[in-house]
Each structure stands twice: as structure tokens, then as C-alpha cells.
Amino acid sequence: MNHFQDGFKTLSAFLSWLCLLLSCACSSEFFVDKGHRDLISGVEFEITAPYLSEKKAFKLRGENLSTWQLQQIADAMPLIAALTNSVLANDTRPIAELQRDSKVRSIRQIQHLDQATFLAVKTLQNWQVTEGQIQFTTDYFYMGAEGHFVYFRDNYVFRKYQQQWVFERHAQAQPEGLLRCEINNQGWRQCEPVGDAVLSAPVALKVAHAKYLAQTAIANRQSRLQCDRPFGVNFF
């Protein structure tokens, strides 16, 4: 009888452990972002790992792109997303350094950001697509020292070589730089470059940054608190 009870307890414990293991696995799987597919003018964009955040930041709807242009962007999406991720440089592993293209400007160096500052991508937009070339801008943001978000824009050109999309150059000699962001009538944040932000000199960058802070403070006093548009919402 005792052997039966011991065996029953062992079996019960095993079944309980198995159920717990399976439930944890199911729960973990439920919260894994497996991406999604989006159809725009008949062109399918498949958002899958890696670089989910970078791919979801692509803004394609409302940019007056033809089906052919959208298809070119869809083909180049994985490589553009990989470059965007490398610019963020949030990965400190040596392999991440090796994968970075030396021709690509470092936002961290331009903005004097240390590795502890988390840099994120907000939007890839302003698409210009011609035969064998894709040009666009990317908006980045990070938390500034004063506890507010700082937005920054740079420009990129990809070219097709031997049926492969690769980064060729920056579209302009300098980034658009710091952005002034305001809330539109729909309650979403829209960003435009600060007009006099000359990035060739650190002093000019500091002046532009100071103007950005002053304008942001005025806007915050004049309007009620608003939230940024969530990642991936209507970016496509």
C-alpha cells in the first residue's frame, strides 16, 4: 500500500511539473513577437525577426509610392533594417562592431552619446525610389539628460549591386540633425528639422539643442500632455 502511495505521489508530482512546464512554454510563446504581414497596393511586407522594431518603423502609406516602388522597398527591407539596427549600436558585442559599415555616420558620435544611452528608431520615411536606387531618411530618438526625448534625423541611399541592395552613401553631406516635434490636430507627434542646426561645429550643435529645449518647453506649457504614436501603428 505504501509503495502504491509513493508511486502515486511521484506520478502526481511529475504530471504537475509537466503541466507547469507546458503552460510556461505556451505563455512564453504567446508573448513572443512573431511579426506580421502587411499588404500595401498588392505588395506584401513580411515583418519577421530579427530587427522587428526597425522593420515596423517603415512608413510607406501616404507617401505616394507606386506598386513597383513598394516592391523595391520590400526587397531591400531586410538590409535597410539591418543597417538601421547597426546605427543604433545598442549591442556592445564585438561582432556588432564588425558588422558596421565605416561609411555610415555614427549618431552616437555626432550626438556624443555614451553606450549606456539607449538609442531607438522612430520612423523611416521620405522615400525616393528609382531604378536601382532607394533614398530615405530615418528619425532616431533617445532620452536626453534633462529627462525629455531628443529626436534626430539622418539620410541614406541604397543601391542595387549584383541583385543585392547595399548601402552606398549618405544622400547629403550632413544629417538633417535635431528635430522640432509638435503635436498635430490628430494628437500625433510630427517632427521637422531645426532649420539653423549646422552640425559641422559642436558649438552650433549645442546652440540648436538649446533652442530645441526652449521650444519644447514652450509647447509643453501651451498644450496638454500627449503621448507619442506607438511603434508600428500606421507607420506602413
Side-chain angles (χ1 to χ4, degrees):
M1 185 66 177
N2 290 336
H3 289 295
F4 175 78
Q5 291 178 339
D6 291 341
F8 181 76
K9 289 180 180 179
T10 302
L11 180 61
S12 299
F14 173 76
L15 291 175
S16 298
W17 175 83
L18 182 61
C19 291
L20 179 62
L21 180 63
L22 291 175
S23 64
C24 290
C26 291
S27 298
S28 299
E29 184 179 7
F30 178 78
F31 288 107
V32 171
D33 188 347
K34 295 182 178 180
H36 66 276
R37 295 183 179 181
D38 203 347
L39 199 66
I40 307 174
S41 299
V43 178
E44 184 178 89
F45 288 83
E46 186 174 5
I47 311 302
T48 58
Y51 317 129
L52 283 167
S53 295
E54 290 79 10
K55 292 176 182 178
K56 289 179 180 179
F58 278 58
K59 180 182 177 183
L60 302 174
R61 286 194 171 92
E63 294 229 356
N64 196 29
L65 295 166
S66 69
T67 300
W68 178 84
Q69 290 174 316
L70 288 168
Q71 186 60 61
Q72 303 309 301
I73 297 174
D75 294 341
M77 174 182 272
L79 296 167
I80 294 176
L83 178 131
T84 305
N85 180 269
S86 71
V87 172
L88 299 178
N90 290 313
D91 190 344
T92 58
R93 293 176 298 176
I95 189 173
E97 285 289 341
L98 294 175
Q99 291 175 343
R100 293 187 190 120
D101 192 328
S102 59
K103 297 180 296 183
V104 182
R105 285 190 284 252
S106 170
I107 305 302
R108 289 186 178 276
Q109 290 180 2
I110 295 172
Q111 290 296 91
H112 308 291
L113 303 178
D114 56 32
Q115 198 60 45
T117 302
F118 187 80
L119 183 64
V121 59
K122 181 179 184 292
T123 312
L124 282 75
Q125 59 190 349
N126 300 319
W127 299 95
Q128 300 178 42
V129 184
T130 57
E131 184 68 40
Q133 179 173 301
I134 298 175
Q135 179 176 321
F136 60 95
T137 62
T138 302
D139 290 0
Y140 304 92
F141 70 96
Y142 60 92
M143 183 68 73
E146 292 80 9
H148 59 81
F149 285 118
V150 178
Y151 296 87
F152 191 92
R153 180 176 296 170
D154 205 350
N155 45 75
Y156 304 89
V157 175
F158 270 65
R159 186 171 290 277
K160 200 169 191 178
Y161 288 108
Q162 299 179 346
Q163 305 304 311
Q164 178 108 0
W165 287 100
V166 296
F167 172 78
E168 183 187 50
R169 59 184 172 83
H170 288 283
Q172 301 176 25
Q174 298 289 349
E176 282 82 345
L178 292 171
L179 304 178
R180 178 173 55 250
C181 298
E182 298 176 350
I183 306 299
N184 64 15
N185 294 333
Q186 288 72 42
W188 301 124
R189 190 181 302 274
Q190 291 183 330
C191 299
E192 295 296 333
V194 176
D196 54 356
V198 180
L199 300 178
S200 57
V203 174
L205 181 60
K206 290 182 180 179
V207 171
H209 199 168
K211 288 185 177 181
Y212 166 83
L213 295 179
Q215 290 163 345
T216 301
I218 293 173
N220 288 339
R221 287 197 299 267
Q222 292 178 344
S223 61
R224 61 186 179 85
L225 182 63
Q226 300 276 357
C227 296
D228 283 332
R229 171 165 289 189
F231 287 119
V233 177
N234 201 28
F235 279 177
F236 270 41

